[in-house]
Amino acid sequence: MKIYSVFLGLTLGLLVCGGLYWYGFTGKTPPAGTYDWKRVEGSKNIIPVAIIGSGPAGLSAALYTSRAHLHTVVFQGPQAGGQLMSTSEVENWPGMGKKQGPEIIKAVQEQAQHFGAVLVNESIKKVDFSVWPYQLVTSEDSQVHALSVIISTGAFPERLKDVPGEVEHWGKGVTACAICDAAFFKDKDVVVVGGGDSAAEQALQLTAYARHITLLVRGDKMRASVAMQDRLKKFDYIKIRYNTSITEIEGDGSRVTGIKLKTAQGSDHMPIDGVFLAIGHKPNTELFKGQIAFTPLGYIAHSCRTQETSQEGVFAAGDVSDERYRQAAVASGDGVKAALDAERFLQRIGFDEIFAKKIERKLYDPVVATNLIEITAIESMDQFKSVVLESKVPVIIDFYTKFCSSCLQIMPYIQAIGTQLKDKLVCVKVDIEKMAELKDRYRVTTVPYFVVIKDGLVVGRYNDVMTKREFFDFASRFITE
Ligand code: NDP
């Protein structure tokens, strides 16, 4: 009986694996003219290994390919470091004991850079895998030519959808990032929606600020690991309500005031100040639609034993192609495999040290701007009055917290644009935890949040992540020549 079960298990495993392999590879369309080295030589902005995305998968891949002396550029995307940047405590990254997510990312970034990987604060906004070298367009409108590509764009948090009030109050009490926004909920009552590890994680991040935290779990049990559930039990102001879902988010358009609930007994109402969503993640695949094969669940399909996608020379690693494990350490392992696959691919098609030397001067290696002016940190109301309210030119205030990874990623853009537009515009930064008075005065409800002041009055606002180009366009709107 046992032997039959093992046989059946193996057969099923092979069928699923073979199916995915087949699925991933039937769509393969080798680029026209295959590997046209003359075309590469005639190009500029060449990248032997272009990595899109900078979480554990992308960075681990970069560490391996740069160590193999392949010029590697990592396009870090809108959230450099990925989901680990908003994870506080990680205790299952092998060999590191207990670490903060950003500490792990910083260590891998430094290790990759040590071997020569170039990490750029840019996103890729368009890809074309129908010609080789593969064409990528960056958020700064540079066109680059990649000999191989590793996709590690990760996943982004799901939204509730179809719940009235969610869209109107997004960033005004409804959020998916506790580590960024917890400080706005000091002594307030909040709910966290979801029953997975992310929900437990967000609830724990809120414990330093919120008065009461209620986890709303739609089923009759949590999906989070036992270790995470045990950590929740240590806080008597964290409550868990099972069989409970949100049906409406109420508020006055500028802040959340309550929620309507569907419960096992019928319906209920809770007055509440904040709603934190932790209801799973969706793979970041939009950019690759029509270019490579996806799995039926919408992840990037790759072969069972390697990270090869349906397009030769394009590899996928981490949460964007992992519908099962979604763990940082697994993503890192995928990244290593993708790097080795990319290295073998380049060798197989004839990329060697002689050719690498030939194109040395044509590599894409964006120069980091020098002589940037410092962005003034506002730390007192007197300083605010003189630098902002009495300024002769418009002032952009960047509200941030030190744990908000997207805020920190935007800083270099602000510095670059503040330098480029100096004399016409001033950029300052305000840490909302240090200057709560300014946060309240300008009704800042989330970070990053930009307020533009001209002649002492508010003339503009924006509350989301921006690319460098978008920030430039936003800032330019307030300049009068
Ligand atoms: P999960 O998919 O694990 O959990 C999602 C949760 O949201 C489930 O409880 C699900 O309910 C619930 N949910 C989904 N849709 C809705 C909805 N519309 N309304 C209400 N509830 C909903 O996602 P996570 O983001 O939590 O975790 C992703 C991966 O990352 C996991 O592998 C996890 O282990 C890992 N992770 C690990 C961490 C750590 O180790 N420190 C921290 C964070 C994440 P249901 O169960 O009923 O489907």
Side-chain angles (χ1 to χ4, degrees):
M1 183 66 191
K2 215 170 177 182
I3 292 219
Y4 283 128
S5 321
V6 170
F7 180 71
L8 190 67
L10 277 174
T11 313
L12 274 176
L14 279 172
L15 276 176
V16 171
C17 194
L20 188 58
Y21 190 89
W22 175 84
Y23 182 86
F25 280 76
T26 45
K28 184 181 285 187
T29 44
T34 1
Y35 303 108
D36 183 350
W37 294 103
K38 282 268 165 286
R39 191 187 162 114
V40 180
E41 277 180 64
S43 310
K44 53 182 185 144
N45 288 350
I46 304 164
I47 308 179
V49 185
I51 299 182
I52 312 177
S54 57
L59 293 174
S60 304
L63 162 60
Y64 266 66
T65 51
S66 52
R67 187 167 174 268
H69 302 300
L70 293 167
H71 179 70
T72 301
V73 178
V74 182
F75 294 95
Q76 299 200 95
Q79 196 193 356
Q83 294 170 59
L84 270 193
M85 292 303 284
S86 44
T87 307
S88 24
E89 215 163 73
V90 179
E91 54 188 14
N92 52 5
W93 182 269
M96 292 276 255
K98 236 181 227 175
K99 284 275 172 207
Q100 299 288 309
E103 281 182 291
I104 293 177
I105 288 298
K106 188 162 178 277
V108 192
Q109 280 171 339
E110 285 172 1
Q111 210 175 351
Q113 283 172 313
H114 167 78
F115 289 113
V118 180
L119 274 47
V120 291
N121 265 338
E122 283 179 43
S123 304
I124 294 297
K125 63 178 190 186
K126 194 165 173 235
V127 298
D128 183 355
F129 296 152
S130 67
V131 281
W132 187 89
Y134 300 125
Q135 310 293 300
L136 313 181
V137 182
T138 75
S139 47
E140 296 305 298
D141 286 328
S142 303
Q143 171 126 3
V144 300
H145 308 276
L147 308 190
S148 69
V149 176
I150 295 176
I151 300 170
S152 50
T153 43
F156 62 92
E158 276 279 20
R159 300 214 179 166
L160 282 168
K161 298 180 208 89
D162 303 329
V163 168
E166 182 192 18
V167 175
E168 297 91 297
H169 296 99
W170 189 261
K172 298 166 185 166
V174 185
T175 166
C177 182
I179 199 147
C180 317
D181 292 337
F184 292 102
F185 296 90
K186 189 143 183 55
D187 301 323
K188 303 249 160 108
D189 296 343
V190 298
V191 292
V192 177
V193 187
D197 280 330
S198 301
E201 171 86 29
Q202 295 216 30
L204 292 165
Q205 286 165 346
L206 283 157
T207 53
Y209 299 92
R211 185 174 53 174
H212 292 119
I213 302 154
T214 308
L215 270 140
L216 303 178
V217 179
R218 67 177 173 182
D220 58 6
K221 55 177 177 300
M222 286 191 75
R223 199 193 279 219
S225 61
V226 175
M228 291 298 262
Q229 293 191 48
D230 284 347
R231 283 172 63 195
L232 294 176
K233 287 180 193 148
K234 292 185 188 142
F235 297 89
D236 61 2
Y237 54 102
I238 298 184
K239 298 258 174 313
I240 305 175
R241 288 183 69 168
Y242 293 98
N243 301 307
T244 306
S245 334
I246 292 192
T247 53
E248 187 174 339
I249 298 172
E250 300 169 331
D252 58 10
S254 65
R255 68 186 186 94
V256 168
T257 52
I259 46 175
K260 284 187 184 153
L261 300 171
K262 181 167 161 269
T263 67
Q265 289 73 37
S267 59
D268 198 1
H269 180 266
M270 273 176 90
I272 212 82
D273 303 296
V275 178
F276 288 80
L277 302 183
I279 56 170
H281 290 83
K282 239 186 152 38
N284 259 322
T285 53
E286 196 55 38
L287 189 60
F288 310 103
K289 278 195 178 141
Q291 301 273 336
I292 45 176
F294 289 5
T295 68
L297 286 180
Y299 290 74
I300 293 181
H302 68 82
S303 129
C304 266
R305 298 194 54 82
T306 73
Q307 303 305 124
E308 292 169 285
T309 67
S310 59
Q311 179 64 63
E312 204 168 44
V314 179
F315 307 89
D319 284 9
V320 72
S321 60
D322 176 3
E323 47 194 51
R324 187 180 174 98
Y325 302 105
R326 293 172 295 164
Q327 298 292 308
V330 175
S332 168
D334 278 0
V336 172
K337 282 161 67 189
L340 295 172
D341 290 340
E343 199 184 329
R344 268 176 217 148
F345 163 76
L346 289 173
Q347 269 168 15
R348 183 169 64 73
I349 63 169
F351 183 77
D352 56 15
E353 295 216 346
I354 300 167
F355 192 79
K357 193 100 200 117
K358 252 190 205 169
I359 57 164
E360 212 172 48
R361 290 172 177 278
K362 297 176 173 180
L363 293 174
Y364 183 68
D365 195 353
V367 183
V368 176
T370 47
N371 299 326
L372 295 180
I373 53 169
E374 273 305 313
I375 299 296
T376 308
I378 300 294
E379 288 177 336
S380 72
M381 289 312 283
D382 284 345
Q383 185 196 13
F384 178 71
K385 184 166 175 279
S386 62
V387 176
V388 179
L389 297 182
E390 293 169 2
S391 169
K392 300 266 178 290
V393 292
V395 183
I396 298 186
I397 313 173
D398 168 22
F399 287 93
Y400 74 103
T401 65
K402 63 178 184 291
F403 295 114
C404 162
S405 61
S406 38
C407 301
L408 300 183
Q409 194 185 357
I410 291 171
M411 293 279 182
Y413 301 166
I414 299 175
Q415 216 179 346
I417 283 155
T419 307
Q420 194 177 339
L421 300 177
K422 72 172 191 292
D423 306 329
K424 297 179 184 159
L425 181 97
V426 170
C427 295
V428 300
K429 58 184 178 185
V430 170
D431 181 341
I432 61 126
E433 293 206 61
K434 288 190 185 152
M435 296 296 292
E437 193 177 338
L438 287 178
K439 172 198 81 172
D440 295 337
R441 180 190 289 194
Y442 292 107
R443 300 193 316 280
V444 175
T445 51
T446 187
V447 283
Y449 197 112
F450 302 93
V451 174
V452 189
I453 308 277
K454 201 170 176 182
D455 301 324
L457 299 172
V458 176
V459 291
R461 284 174 184 271
Y462 193 82
N463 72 320
D464 210 343
V465 176
M466 283 189 258
T467 63
K468 187 172 170 194
R469 172 59 56 103
E470 286 163 351
F471 186 75
F472 179 82
D473 292 344
F474 172 75
S476 303
R477 293 211 318 255
F478 304 100
I479 294 174
T480 37
E481 291 297 334

